[in-house]
């Protein structure tokens, strides 16, 4: 197939005239079908095959029976890819277990062949600042030598080589190291006749940004704060006091007598006091009030108009979240951050919490039926953070630091669903599902130190197939556990629960269990509506510890791939909203489809503009120097490892599409569409080069799944 000639500019002028007819919209009911123009053997949707119209099949005659390509991406990667990589590299690990995965992925590095000294990056060539290392400095001080032999050639993408950062702010933070240097550098003649290279600034843009208080990124802590954290100079007084109290009182609030409950909670929610009554009273007498009670929380809202972008490790980076917000995402989460590195001031972990200003705008509210009293939309925002922890003190200290140092947080979410062995063995993620009392104490402690920021939790159905525990856990988190109710320590105060409809053992195999999600949603709804009827006076919530304002939101998660899925889950499962993970990675405009309640058949050129937008956002996030370009390319390729799985709705024979279905080999409606659907990672690199230029010689990208790493010639 001939390589498509696609301009790498934002207008994409001259690229595939057949794609420039605009957006094609297909109003399709789930029962509607798109009939193929030529007959072939029919496949049932239950066969796990995406039915392609015959004219787009590579081998129409044998399409029904040919072997399908293997699952192209390990979907666990959407949840905790960096930890999977560490797990696969662990000494003694059975490398055969994660079948089909590359166990030692390498990316090479992107650096200048000659490194320029930091004292020469921003100042005019002939009047640089003094290098504090002097003659001992190992970096280049000769600017012209660096530009001639150490720096990669300038890029001519983005409006003919215009630096995205300079265009936005009137100044480029990467100075002479920028890969778009020609757009903001000139050679001037000094009074003595010598030539000097200088950087150009646009004072109008620069002053406009400064005067308008135009802060592009929020939740950014400075280097000194990270150093102070690493040296334990930043105190967490509330967390320290609460953890000390928790350690002293944990034994006292445990069920007396034996492992059986002091009270038996029946299915209808009523409680009957069992044996050990005297022992219970003794414990209550010894009980010490916590050193602080939870502050009143900011009200939250989740509803039909607020589809939620799931917290996605690696893929849920800032440029991707920003793209999803552009396309209609109403809630976003940071990538999962580990509590202990946050406490220790880890630079890479704190970087995960940075958000774009578009993420701190209020979400859309289109109905008042689910809005709780006191909710203020103008003070709400889209962005929340997710953390993981194995011990109460880690989660509680991290929560206090987050809510103190990062002022723009909608909520703090505790990850109790990550299935990765490395996280599970440490006692974090889904391991907390098997220790519900510990999980309840963690959320209580987080609420005690989080100020006005609500605390939420994301869980799975359980750890083992066929043995779901989420229903019992949800009841405990909302009404309080047996031990905490006996000791009157108050409820967890969780503001929202998100349930992924799979067990840890299941990971991403089979389909999400929306019937079980519906059962849990019904329980939460019943508790919200009739709490006074399902609790006795002993279990009534103490108003001093009440933080959820009488309503706990419930969000479902798993296999949502179309607006049909979304609204069906809202109606049938009774959830407040739906969280989108892999569906959004494959087609970020899923949020747009949900808003418009119809399929959107994106043309190939439109999809390419989203790739360009991601690249632009990446350069604005990570920088436009060689390191920033390399980082942007790496994360772009990670996204394309999911995005290539999209099959255009215009070539499907039957709707709605299902995320688990795999298509036979197909060709798109033009060369670009075929290229965007290629399973070969070399084609993904080719797409990245349209906007980020050629890769360096030492650049490597190894896809997560070996089926994408074959050495066959790439498309085009």
């Amino acid at each position: 197939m001939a390589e498509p000639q696609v301009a790498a500019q934002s207008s994409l002028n001259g690229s595939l005239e057949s794609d420039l007819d605009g957006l094609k919209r297909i109003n399709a009911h789930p029962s509607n079908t798109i009939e193929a123009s030529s007959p072939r053997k029919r496949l049932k949707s239950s066969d796990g095959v995406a039915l392609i119209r015959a004219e787009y099949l590579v081998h129409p005659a044998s399409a029904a029976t040919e072997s399908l390509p293997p699952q192209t991406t390990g979907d666990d990667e959407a949840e905790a890819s960096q930890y999977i990589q560490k797990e696969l590299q662990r000494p003694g690990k059975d490398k055969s277990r994660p079948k089909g995965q590359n166990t030692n992925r390498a990316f090479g590095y992107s650096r200048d062949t000659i490194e320029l000294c930091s004292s020469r990056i921003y100042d005019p060539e002939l009047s640089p600042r003094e290098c504090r290392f002097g003659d001992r400095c190992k970096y280049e001080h000769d600017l012209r030598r660096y530009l001639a032999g150490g720096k990669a050639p300038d890029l001519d993408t983005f409006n003919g080589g215009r630096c995205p950062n300079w265009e936005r702010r009137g100044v480029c933070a990467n100075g002479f190291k920028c890969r778009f240097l020609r757009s903001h550098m000139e050679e001037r003649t000094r009074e003595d006749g010598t030539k000097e290279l200088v950087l150009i600034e646009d004072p109008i843009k620069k002053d406009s940004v400064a005067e308008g208080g135009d802060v592009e990124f929020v939740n950014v802590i400075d280097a000194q704060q990270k150093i102070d954290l690493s040296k334990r100079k930043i105190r967490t007084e509330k967390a320290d006091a609460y953890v000390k109290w928790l350690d002293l009182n944990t034994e006292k609030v445990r069920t007396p007598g034996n492992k059986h409950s002091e009270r038996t909670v029946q299915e209808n929610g009523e409680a009957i006091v069992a044996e050990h009554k005297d022992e219970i009273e003794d414990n209550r007498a010894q009980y010490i009030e916590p050193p602080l009670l939870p502050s009143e929380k900011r009200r939250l809202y989740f509803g039909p108009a607020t589809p939620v972008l799931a917290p996605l490790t690696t893929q849920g980076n800032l440029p991707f979240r920003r793209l999803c917000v552009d396309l209609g995402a109403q809630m976003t989460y940071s990538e999962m951050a580990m509590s202990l590195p946050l406490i220790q001031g880890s630079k890479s972990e704190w970087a995960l919490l940075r958000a774009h200003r578009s993420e701190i705008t209020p979400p859309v509210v289109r109905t008042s039926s689910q809005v709780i009293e006191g909710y203020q939309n103008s003070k709400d925002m889209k962005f929340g953070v997710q953390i993981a922890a194995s011990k109460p003190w880690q989660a509680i200290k991290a929560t206090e630091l987050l809510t103190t140092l990062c002022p723009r947080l909608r909520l703090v979410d505790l990850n109790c669903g990550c299935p990765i062995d490395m996280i599970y063995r440490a006692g974090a993620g889904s391991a907390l599902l098997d220790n519900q009392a510990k999980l309840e104490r963690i959320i209580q402690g987080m609420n005690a130190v989080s100020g006005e920021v609500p605390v939420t939790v994301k869980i799975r159905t359980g750890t083992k197939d066929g043995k779901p525990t989420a229903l019992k856990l949800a009841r405990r988190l909302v009404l309080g556990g047996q031990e905490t109710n006996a000791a009157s320590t108050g409820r967890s105060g969780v503001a929202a629960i998100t349930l992924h409809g799979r067990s840890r053992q299941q990971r991403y195999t089979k389909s999400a269990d929306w019937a079980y999600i519906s059962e849990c949603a019904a329980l939460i709804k019943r508790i919200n509506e009739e709490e006074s009827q399902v609790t006795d006076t002993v279990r009534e919530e103490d108003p001093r510890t009440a933080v959820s304002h009488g309503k706990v939101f419930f969000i479902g998660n798993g296999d949502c791939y179309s607006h049909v899925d979304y609204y069906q889950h809202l109606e049938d499962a009774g959830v407040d909203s739906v969280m989108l993970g892999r569906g959004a990675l494959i087609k970020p405009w899923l949020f747009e489809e949900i808003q418009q309640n119809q399929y959107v058949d994106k043309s190939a050129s439109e999809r390419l503009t989203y790739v360009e937008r991601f690249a632009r956002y990446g350069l604005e996030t990570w920088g436009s120097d060689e390191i920033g370009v390399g980082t942007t390319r790496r994360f772009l390729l990670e996204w394309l490892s999911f995005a290539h799985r999209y099959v255009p709705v215009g070539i499907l024979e039957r709707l709605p599409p299902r995320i688990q279905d795999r298509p036979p080999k197909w060709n798109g409606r033009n060369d670009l569409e075929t290229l965007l659907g290629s399973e070969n990672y070399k084609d993904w690199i080719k797409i990245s080069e349209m906007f980020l230029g050629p890769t360096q010689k030492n650049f490597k990208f190894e896809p997560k799944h070996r089926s994408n790493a074959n050495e066959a010639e790439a498309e085009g």
Side-chain angles (χ1 to χ4, degrees), residues 300-358:
L300 289 179
Y301 167 77
F302 290 91
T306 59
V308 182
L309 176 63
L312 304 164
T313 300
T314 302
Q315 281 81 9
N317 51 68
L318 193 152
F320 180 75
R321 298 197 312 266
R322 190 175 167 187
L323 175 62
C324 288
V325 170
D326 290 348
L327 295 172
Q330 297 301 314
M331 310 285 180
T332 63
Y333 288 85
S334 71
E335 301 176 56
M336 181 182 74
M338 299 302 295
S339 293
L340 187 56
L342 287 175
I343 296 168
Q344 296 169 337
S346 167
K347 180 179 178 181
S348 60
E349 217 71 16
W350 279 96
L352 301 177
L353 310 180
R354 186 166 57 156
H356 185 257
R357 60 178 180 173
S358 63

XYZ file of all heavy atoms in Angstrom, residues 300-358:
455
model
N -20.380 16.898 46.419
C -20.045 16.364 45.090
C -21.308 16.176 44.257
O -22.428 16.229 44.774
C -19.331 15.019 45.216
C -17.908 15.009 45.754
C -17.380 13.580 45.825
C -16.986 15.871 44.901
N -21.085 15.932 42.989
C -22.192 15.599 42.087
C -21.700 14.618 41.037
O -20.654 14.817 40.413
C -22.740 16.849 41.393
C -23.673 16.530 40.232
C -24.981 16.113 40.463
C -23.233 16.620 38.917
C -25.829 15.805 39.412
C -24.068 16.313 37.860
C -25.367 15.904 38.109
O -26.199 15.595 37.063
N -22.439 13.535 40.868
C -22.265 12.618 39.747
C -23.647 12.387 39.152
O -24.596 12.105 39.896
C -21.685 11.269 40.199
C -20.251 11.325 40.646
C -19.925 11.557 41.965
C -19.228 11.138 39.727
C -18.610 11.601 42.390
C -17.897 11.180 40.140
C -17.588 11.414 41.469
N -23.762 12.511 37.834
C -25.056 12.328 37.206
C -24.939 11.877 35.770
O -23.836 11.645 35.256
N -26.066 11.766 35.070
C -26.059 11.293 33.677
C -25.199 12.142 32.750
O -24.669 11.635 31.757
C -27.540 11.366 33.277
C -28.288 11.299 34.563
C -27.433 12.001 35.571
N -25.059 13.431 33.072
C -24.298 14.332 32.200
C -22.822 14.375 32.546
O -22.080 15.172 31.975
C -24.877 15.749 32.279
N -22.382 13.506 33.483
C -20.979 13.565 33.914
C -20.268 12.233 33.704
O -19.909 11.561 34.673
C -20.882 13.967 35.396
O -21.597 12.994 36.189
C -21.470 15.338 35.631
N -20.053 11.805 32.449
C -19.229 10.612 32.238
C -17.833 10.838 32.805
O -17.275 11.931 32.698
C -19.206 10.452 30.717
C -19.515 11.819 30.180
C -20.438 12.447 31.182
N -17.284 9.804 33.423
C -16.043 9.931 34.188
C -14.904 9.225 33.459
O -15.039 8.068 33.065
C -16.215 9.318 35.591
C -14.946 9.500 36.417
C -17.424 9.922 36.302
N -13.783 9.918 33.278
C -12.582 9.287 32.736
C -11.863 8.574 33.869
O -11.533 9.177 34.888
C -11.659 10.324 32.097
C -10.322 9.801 31.567
C -10.533 8.787 30.435
C -9.430 10.944 31.088
N -11.614 7.290 33.701
C -11.015 6.476 34.755
C -9.569 6.888 35.012
O -8.886 7.404 34.118
C -11.072 4.999 34.373
N -9.085 6.664 36.238
C -7.647 6.830 36.491
C -6.865 5.738 35.778
O -7.083 4.555 36.021
C -7.543 6.702 38.024
C -8.764 5.967 38.447
C -9.829 6.273 37.453
N -5.995 6.122 34.865
C -5.287 5.177 34.013
C -3.785 5.409 34.151
O -3.293 6.488 33.824
C -5.704 5.352 32.546
C -7.199 5.229 32.259
C -7.531 5.796 30.882
C -7.628 3.770 32.342
N -3.076 4.422 34.637
C -1.635 4.582 34.814
C -0.943 4.618 33.452
O -1.214 3.787 32.601
C -1.072 3.434 35.662
O -1.719 3.455 36.927
C 0.421 3.597 35.870
N -0.055 5.539 33.258
C 0.691 5.802 32.023
C -0.210 6.442 30.978
O 0.046 7.552 30.521
C 1.340 4.524 31.445
O 2.208 3.959 32.412
C 2.142 4.846 30.181
N -1.288 5.749 30.568
C -2.146 6.294 29.523
C -2.970 7.483 30.000
O -3.362 8.327 29.201
C -3.090 5.205 28.984
C -2.444 4.248 28.006
C -1.655 3.159 28.705
O -1.710 3.014 29.924
N -0.909 2.370 27.942
N -3.242 7.569 31.313
C -4.040 8.673 31.822
C -3.210 9.899 32.133
O -3.477 10.612 33.100
N -2.235 10.179 31.275
C -1.348 11.323 31.507
C -2.073 12.632 31.207
O -3.177 12.649 30.656
C -0.077 11.185 30.660
C -0.402 10.905 29.204
O -0.931 11.745 28.498
N -0.103 9.691 28.756
N -1.428 13.742 31.549
C -2.076 15.045 31.428
C -2.498 15.383 29.997
O -3.632 15.843 29.792
C -1.158 16.127 32.008
C -1.771 17.505 32.242
C -1.055 18.216 33.383
C -1.696 18.375 30.998
N -1.665 15.195 28.968
C -2.126 15.507 27.611
C -3.347 14.691 27.194
O -4.249 15.226 26.538
C -0.903 15.165 26.741
C 0.262 15.337 27.650
C -0.220 14.867 28.984
N -3.399 13.410 27.576
C -4.565 12.605 27.198
C -5.806 13.076 27.942
O -6.890 13.173 27.363
C -4.311 11.125 27.479
C -5.475 10.251 27.102
C -5.742 9.971 25.772
C -6.326 9.730 28.076
C -6.827 9.182 25.408
C -7.411 8.947 27.726
C -7.663 8.667 26.386
N -5.674 13.374 29.225
C -6.827 13.879 29.978
C -7.318 15.195 29.380
O -8.530 15.437 29.286
C -6.460 14.087 31.448
C -6.052 12.836 32.195
C -6.105 13.053 33.700
N -5.469 14.271 34.149
C -4.211 14.364 34.562
N -3.419 13.290 34.546
N -3.714 15.520 34.979
N -6.381 16.027 28.994
C -6.741 17.321 28.402
C -7.510 17.124 27.100
O -8.505 17.819 26.836
C -5.456 18.116 28.171
C -5.649 19.557 27.778
C -4.296 20.240 27.698
N -4.400 21.530 27.031
C -3.351 22.271 26.709
N -2.122 21.861 27.022
N -3.525 23.439 26.096
N -7.084 16.159 26.297
C -7.788 15.840 25.061
C -9.201 15.363 25.362
O -10.165 15.759 24.696
C -7.012 14.767 24.288
C -7.662 14.215 23.015
C -7.844 15.320 21.976
C -6.826 13.076 22.437
N -9.344 14.513 26.377
C -10.670 13.990 26.728
C -11.581 15.095 27.234
O -12.793 15.090 26.950
C -10.540 12.876 27.762
S -9.854 11.338 27.109
N -11.037 16.053 27.992
C -11.844 17.186 28.443
C -12.321 17.993 27.239
O -13.480 18.434 27.182
C -11.049 18.067 29.424
C -11.788 19.380 29.701
C -10.815 17.317 30.729
N -11.449 18.184 26.253
C -11.855 18.876 25.022
C -13.055 18.189 24.379
O -13.920 18.845 23.788
C -10.703 18.892 24.005
C -9.561 19.798 24.412
O -9.734 20.587 25.365
O -8.483 19.700 23.784
N -13.102 16.859 24.501
C -14.133 16.074 23.819
C -15.323 15.757 24.718
O -16.200 14.995 24.308
C -13.512 14.780 23.285
C -12.455 14.984 22.189
C -11.744 13.682 21.862
C -13.097 15.561 20.936
N -15.355 16.320 25.923
C -16.563 16.196 26.727
C -16.443 15.485 28.053
O -17.456 15.324 28.745
N -15.240 15.028 28.454
C -15.102 14.368 29.752
C -15.415 15.370 30.859
O -14.920 16.497 30.850
C -13.690 13.810 29.923
N -16.238 14.958 31.830
C -16.655 15.851 32.901
C -15.936 15.583 34.212
O -15.992 16.406 35.128
C -18.164 15.735 33.105
C -18.982 16.167 31.906
C -18.717 17.609 31.522
O -18.676 18.498 32.364
N -18.508 17.851 30.231
N -15.301 14.434 34.321
C -14.534 14.099 35.516
C -13.229 13.436 35.072
O -13.243 12.578 34.188
C -15.286 13.125 36.429
C -16.713 13.512 36.745
S -16.791 14.848 37.937
C -18.576 15.052 38.063
N -12.134 13.822 35.683
C -10.847 13.204 35.373
C -10.120 12.865 36.675
O -10.400 13.453 37.727
C -9.950 14.133 34.530
O -9.638 15.314 35.297
C -10.630 14.537 33.233
N -9.198 11.922 36.579
C -8.386 11.525 37.723
C -6.917 11.528 37.312
O -6.579 11.259 36.155
C -8.735 10.109 38.193
C -10.064 9.964 38.892
C -11.233 9.777 38.164
C -10.157 9.999 40.278
C -12.461 9.636 38.796
C -11.369 9.844 40.924
C -12.522 9.666 40.180
O -13.720 9.523 40.814
N -6.063 11.791 38.277
C -4.633 11.617 38.048
C -4.325 10.145 37.829
O -5.156 9.276 38.100
C -3.845 12.119 39.264
O -4.031 11.232 40.379
N -3.152 9.874 37.348
C -2.679 8.495 37.381
C -2.525 8.066 38.841
O -2.308 8.894 39.720
C -1.328 8.387 36.669
C -1.350 8.816 35.206
C 0.030 8.777 34.591
O 0.664 7.701 34.638
O 0.492 9.816 34.090
N -2.641 6.772 39.100
C -2.525 6.276 40.464
C -1.144 6.610 41.019
O -0.121 6.255 40.443
C -2.754 4.768 40.505
C -2.674 4.172 41.899
S -2.900 2.371 41.883
C -1.312 1.836 41.196
N -1.123 7.286 42.167
C 0.131 7.639 42.832
C 0.272 6.809 44.101
O -0.691 6.628 44.841
C 0.164 9.129 43.165
N 1.471 6.296 44.353
C 1.728 5.513 45.554
C 1.982 6.456 46.733
O 2.740 7.423 46.629
C 2.920 4.590 45.347
C 2.726 3.569 44.231
S 1.290 2.501 44.480
C 1.793 1.607 45.958
N 1.355 6.166 47.856
C 1.396 7.078 49.006
C 2.799 7.253 49.575
O 3.215 8.382 49.891
C 0.459 6.561 50.100
O -0.878 6.628 49.676
N 3.546 6.162 49.726
C 4.858 6.271 50.360
C 5.817 7.156 49.568
O 6.457 8.045 50.152
C 5.457 4.884 50.590
C 6.757 4.843 51.401
C 6.568 5.514 52.758
C 7.239 3.403 51.570
N 5.953 7.000 48.248
C 6.813 7.935 47.504
C 6.338 9.385 47.591
O 7.166 10.300 47.583
C 6.735 7.405 46.068
C 6.395 5.959 46.210
C 5.496 5.888 47.396
N 5.026 9.605 47.674
C 4.541 10.972 47.858
C 5.053 11.544 49.173
O 5.530 12.690 49.237
C 3.011 10.993 47.848
C 2.300 10.781 46.510
C 0.794 10.720 46.723
C 2.642 11.881 45.515
N 4.950 10.758 50.232
C 5.411 11.201 51.549
C 6.910 11.490 51.525
O 7.395 12.413 52.181
C 5.078 10.129 52.603
C 3.560 9.975 52.733
C 5.694 10.463 53.953
C 3.134 8.755 53.527
N 7.652 10.715 50.727
C 9.103 10.865 50.649
C 9.548 11.941 49.660
O 10.739 12.156 49.476
C 9.727 9.519 50.262
C 9.513 8.439 51.313
C 9.902 7.060 50.825
O 9.935 6.801 49.608
N 10.199 6.162 51.758
N 8.590 12.611 48.992
C 8.932 13.712 48.097
C 9.397 13.286 46.722
O 10.126 14.029 46.058
N 8.992 12.116 46.268
C 9.404 11.628 44.955
C 8.968 12.585 43.847
O 7.781 12.898 43.711
C 8.806 10.237 44.706
O 8.939 9.860 43.353
N 9.921 13.032 43.067
C 9.637 13.970 41.986
C 8.678 13.366 40.971
O 7.716 14.036 40.537
C 10.951 14.370 41.302
C 10.785 15.342 40.159
C 12.134 15.698 39.542
C 11.975 16.640 38.358
N 13.290 16.971 37.746
N 8.913 12.128 40.576
C 8.073 11.501 39.561
C 6.652 11.267 40.066
O 5.687 11.372 39.308
C 8.690 10.168 39.114
O 8.824 9.274 40.211
N 6.510 10.978 41.363
C 5.170 10.702 41.893
C 4.353 11.986 42.017
O 3.174 12.016 41.675
C 5.285 10.003 43.253
C 4.234 8.949 43.507
C 4.425 7.707 42.655
O 5.521 7.517 42.088
O 3.471 6.916 42.551
N 4.991 13.057 42.474
C 4.276 14.326 42.574
C 3.931 14.893 41.205
O 2.949 15.637 41.058
C 5.086 15.333 43.389
C 4.942 15.129 44.869
C 5.786 14.432 45.693
C 3.879 15.586 45.694
N 5.310 14.432 46.987
C 4.141 15.131 47.018
C 2.727 16.336 45.465
C 3.286 15.416 48.083
C 1.879 16.616 46.531
C 2.160 16.160 47.815
N 4.727 14.551 40.190
C 4.427 15.028 38.837
C 3.096 14.474 38.331
O 2.446 15.087 37.467
C 5.556 14.637 37.884
N 2.671 13.321 38.852
C 1.413 12.714 38.416
C 0.201 13.549 38.813
O -0.877 13.396 38.238
C 1.269 11.310 39.018
C 2.356 10.291 38.685
C 2.083 8.983 39.413
C 2.438 10.056 37.182
N 0.365 14.423 39.799
C -0.761 15.164 40.350
C -0.976 16.504 39.667
O -1.920 17.222 39.988
C -0.552 15.385 41.848
C -0.178 14.124 42.637
C 0.016 14.449 44.098
C -1.226 13.041 42.462
N -0.108 16.833 38.727
C -0.265 18.090 38.010
C -1.479 18.014 37.098
O -1.732 17.005 36.448
C 1.004 18.375 37.201
C 0.998 19.728 36.525
C 2.357 20.129 36.013
N 2.935 19.172 35.093
C 3.855 19.485 34.183
N 4.297 20.722 34.088
N 4.352 18.562 33.392
N -2.247 19.087 37.046
C -3.460 19.123 36.224
C -3.445 20.358 35.337
O -2.807 21.371 35.651
C -4.706 19.125 37.107
N -4.178 20.267 34.227
C -4.317 21.418 33.339
C -5.473 22.279 33.816
O -6.408 21.803 34.463
C -4.564 20.948 31.899
C -4.588 22.070 30.911
N -5.765 22.569 30.379
C -3.587 22.811 30.378
C -5.470 23.553 29.545
N -4.169 23.719 29.522
N -5.423 23.549 33.501
C -6.458 24.475 33.979
C -7.851 24.085 33.488
O -8.850 24.390 34.154
C -6.130 25.901 33.547
C -6.049 26.094 32.045
C -5.759 27.536 31.691
N -5.691 27.709 30.255
C -5.594 28.886 29.663
N -5.568 29.972 30.387
N -5.524 28.969 28.346
N -7.951 23.395 32.347
C -9.265 22.963 31.858
C -9.887 21.925 32.782
O -11.111 21.732 32.771
C -9.142 22.388 30.444
O -8.326 21.220 30.434
